[in-house]
Amino acid sequence: MKRIRIKELLRGELVGERVCVKGWVRTKRGNKAVSFIALNDGSTIHNIQVVADNDKFEAELLGKVTTGASLSVEGQLVASQGKGQSVEVLAERIEVLGLADPESYPLQKKGHSLEFLREIAHLRPRTNTFGAVLRMRHEMSMAIHTYFHEHGFYYYHAPIITGSDCEGAGQMFQVTTMDLNNIPKCEDGSVDYSCDFFSRPTSLTVSGQLEGETAAMAMGAIYTFGPTFRAENSNTPRHLAEFWMIEPEVAFMEIEENMDLAEDFIKHCVRWALERCADDIAFLSEHYDKELVGRLQFILEKPFKRLTYTEGIEILEAAVKAGRKFEFPIYWGADMSSEHERYLVEEYFKTPVIVTDYPKEIKSFYMKLNEDGKTVRGMDVLFPKIGEIIGGSEREADLDKLSQRAEEMGVPDKDIWWYMDTRRYGTAPHSGFGLGFERLLLFVTGMTNIRDVIPLPRTPRNAEF
């Protein structure tokens, strides 16, 4: 028989028909006469109950039906007589496809801490929590591709191996084929990269933005959506060494339109989550974040407040004078920390915030310089509980100004000569932003640690799976 997913069976449209369902045992209970097996196949947060008359099956077979085992069950789908489910399967045939040793299987019917589940990240998708998170991760991916496709953007695949450091931070993973135990050296003692695969230093990308800009200068509107890497030795709940980024770049678009795009895009993603992930959101809200649904609706209900960095600093300085205490100092020229960003969103404006016109010293070389010569047309979108969720800017289109800023920030021209060519040949105003996919997932799932919204987290001293 053809297998039918549990999600489809629970709709109740096949009541009275003989069906085949396959999945993993979550629990088994019962008495001498009957066994009740909760089966889940990953298609939904909900299990389907399989009812097995013990007299119809060998005791040895039912003994193999333990938590974690995979089964194929054929039987009649009927309206359920018990509470908690609308339909159930009256088993006529049970086949154990894969055993799970009940003595060693680590996911028993009890609560497991998120810390413990990170240690068995290869098995945690079988839990309700991570099944929900991974289904939402899929839905958010679809939301992103759908939005940009429907708005005329082209999906652009930026390279993962690069010779440039987009952010200028130097925290990159180097890529090499050289024997690390016998690295070839030049006469002056430096590494002889002519012996390496690419004949030059290369690393895993920290961003697809620079390459994306070159495509936007030909195709008008593009977006990248792929893995990025940062070798930052940070063990916080908000940092990963490997994560995914969404980066649209649009020609002929200035900062105001960039803010409009960011707001419309993020609202689309939140709306998609509420409409398509209701069961998973309900579960995560019940178990992890009681305010999740209200916070998601909050994003849709209000326009984002827009203000300059200077205005934001003035508000924060006034709060300090009035007795508000922050862990980190705040003054004009300082980079706002998460606590400052969340104060503006959660306490002062009580709405999402877009901050613009940052001091040039704390932003990247490619951001367009304002007429005051001190600030750039950067923008950060700030959310409750998260702080910055989107960072972007209008890009500097003037070759001379861009060259000067790159030199000031120590970005070698030899690494970005091709990027400069977009300013030499047919330059145009253009803008874009970056959204950390896992930051978005933290917000829509209500999880608090970024390691719990990616399948197999990569963090300092951890690449186990």
Side-chain angles (χ1 to χ4, degrees):
M1 288 186 70
K2 183 179 179 180
R3 171 201 169 208
I4 301 176
R5 295 192 308 165
I6 291 173
K7 181 178 181 179
E8 298 167 15
L9 292 177
L10 293 178
R11 294 173 185 158
E13 298 170 358
L14 299 176
V15 168
E17 296 187 22
R18 194 168 186 271
V19 299
C20 174
V21 60
K22 299 180 182 182
W24 293 268
V25 177
R26 287 291 171 82
T27 61
K28 186 181 78 169
R29 60 184 177 83
N31 50 46
K32 293 181 179 180
V34 66
S35 295
F36 299 99
I37 305 164
L39 210 61
N40 189 281
D41 66 359
S43 63
T44 172
I45 191 76
H46 302 295
N47 305 323
I48 194 162
Q49 180 167 276
V50 174
V51 182
D53 186 337
N54 291 349
D55 290 339
K56 294 182 179 180
F57 300 94
E58 295 180 1
E60 182 182 358
L61 173 67
L62 292 178
K64 296 176 180 178
V65 179
T66 59
T67 298
S70 64
L71 305 183
S72 173
V73 178
E74 295 178 14
Q76 187 179 28
L77 187 70
V78 299
S80 178
Q81 302 301 311
K83 295 180 179 180
Q85 64 275 331
S86 58
V87 295
E88 59 191 18
V89 177
L90 300 181
E92 299 170 7
R93 178 179 177 273
I94 297 176
E95 180 184 359
V96 178
L97 302 175
L99 296 172
D101 180 5
E103 299 299 322
S104 62
Y105 186 61
L107 296 174
Q108 297 298 326
K109 188 184 177 183
K110 63 177 182 178
H112 297 289
S113 71
L114 296 176
E115 290 79 7
F116 169 72
L117 292 176
R118 286 178 210 136
E119 296 175 5
I120 54 168
H122 60 303
L123 293 176
R124 67 179 183 172
R126 299 189 189 189
T127 65
N128 285 331
T129 295
F130 288 94
V133 168
L134 292 175
R135 279 187 295 273
M136 291 190 67
R137 188 178 174 100
H138 161 77
E139 285 292 346
M140 288 297 93
S141 298
M142 295 303 297
I144 290 161
H145 286 301
T146 300
Y147 179 87
F148 287 121
H149 178 69
E150 292 180 350
H151 285 77
F153 285 68
Y154 296 103
Y155 184 25
Y156 176 74
H157 299 130
I160 290 175
I161 298 174
T162 179
S164 63
D165 180 357
C166 174
E167 300 298 326
Q171 297 167 327
M172 303 179 77
F173 289 100
Q174 191 165 353
V175 175
T176 181
T177 57
M178 291 189 289
D179 181 357
L180 298 184
N181 294 313
N182 186 26
I183 297 177
K185 299 290 184 69
C186 299
E187 290 184 2
D188 62 1
S190 62
V191 176
D192 184 1
Y193 281 103
S194 68
C195 299
D196 207 354
F197 186 89
F198 294 107
S199 295
R200 58 170 298 167
T202 55
S203 303
L204 297 178
T205 185
V206 298
S207 168
Q209 178 199 317
L210 301 191
E211 293 87 352
E213 284 187 55
T214 67
M217 288 293 97
M219 303 182 74
I222 65 91
Y223 72 104
T224 70
F225 185 4
T228 50
F229 309 84
R230 293 190 186 173
E232 182 178 357
N233 189 17
S234 182
N235 275 295
T236 79
R238 301 179 66 204
H239 289 88
L240 290 167
E242 177 185 34
F243 54 98
W244 287 65
M245 286 281 287
I246 301 99
E247 297 176 289
E249 290 292 331
V250 188
F252 314 113
M253 187 172 77
E254 300 185 18
I255 189 67
E256 289 295 333
E257 294 172 285
N258 201 30
M259 289 189 280
D260 293 341
L261 175 65
E263 180 172 348
D264 190 58
F265 168 63
I266 202 75
K267 285 185 173 181
H268 162 85
C269 291
V270 171
R271 190 178 301 111
W272 187 289
L274 284 168
E275 292 175 354
R276 312 240 180 167
C277 307
D279 287 348
D280 290 323
I281 287 175
F283 172 84
L284 294 169
S285 177
E286 178 183 355
H287 291 86
Y288 294 99
D289 187 347
K290 304 294 185 186
E291 300 175 351
L292 177 58
V293 175
R295 196 164 55 252
L296 294 175
Q297 292 173 338
F298 166 84
I299 296 299
L300 301 180
E301 291 167 358
K302 294 187 177 184
F304 294 4
K305 174 66 179 179
R306 301 181 183 186
L307 71 155
T308 66
Y309 167 88
T310 300
E311 292 169 333
I313 294 298
E314 290 172 352
I315 291 169
L316 291 165
E317 288 178 331
V320 171
K321 288 181 181 178
R324 182 67 161 82
K325 297 200 179 295
F326 295 110
E327 180 180 356
F328 297 99
I330 190 67
Y331 52 89
W332 201 97
D335 203 358
M336 291 185 194
S337 68
S338 179
E339 61 176 341
H340 302 132
E341 295 167 341
R342 291 182 60 183
Y343 173 81
L344 294 174
V345 174
E346 298 170 16
E347 300 182 45
Y348 192 85
F349 289 109
K350 294 181 170 59
T351 188
V353 171
I354 305 179
V355 179
T356 62
D357 302 314
Y358 285 84
K360 66 180 183 179
E361 287 79 11
I362 61 174
K363 289 298 181 181
S364 298
F365 77 97
Y366 49 72
M367 295 189 181
K368 184 175 179 61
L369 195 65
N370 282 318
E371 292 181 2
D372 62 13
K374 298 191 302 181
T375 60
V376 292
R377 294 186 189 178
M379 63 168 220
D380 287 346
V381 180
L382 313 181
F383 264 26
K385 286 199 76 175
I386 298 292
E388 179 196 336
I389 194 168
I390 283 178
S393 70
E394 182 176 342
R395 315 310 190 189
E396 181 58 74
D398 184 281
L399 176 61
D400 292 336
K401 291 180 180 178
L402 184 64
S403 297
Q404 182 178 344
R405 289 291 295 136
E407 183 178 350
E408 290 173 0
M409 301 193 73
V411 181
D413 183 69
K414 67 179 178 61
D415 290 343
I416 57 169
W417 63 268
W418 49 271
Y419 180 69
M420 295 301 195
D421 273 359
T422 60
R423 276 68 173 177
R424 290 188 180 94
Y425 310 124
T427 189
H430 61 287
S431 301
F433 60 80
L435 166 65
F437 188 41
E438 284 73 27
R439 292 277 178 95
L440 172 63
L441 288 166
L442 280 178
F443 186 77
V444 298
T445 63
M447 304 299 282
T448 56
N449 194 312
I450 202 163
R451 302 175 193 193
D452 297 327
V453 293
I454 193 167
L456 300 170
R458 299 291 183 249
T459 54
R461 299 183 179 276
N462 178 35
E464 184 67 26
F465 306 99

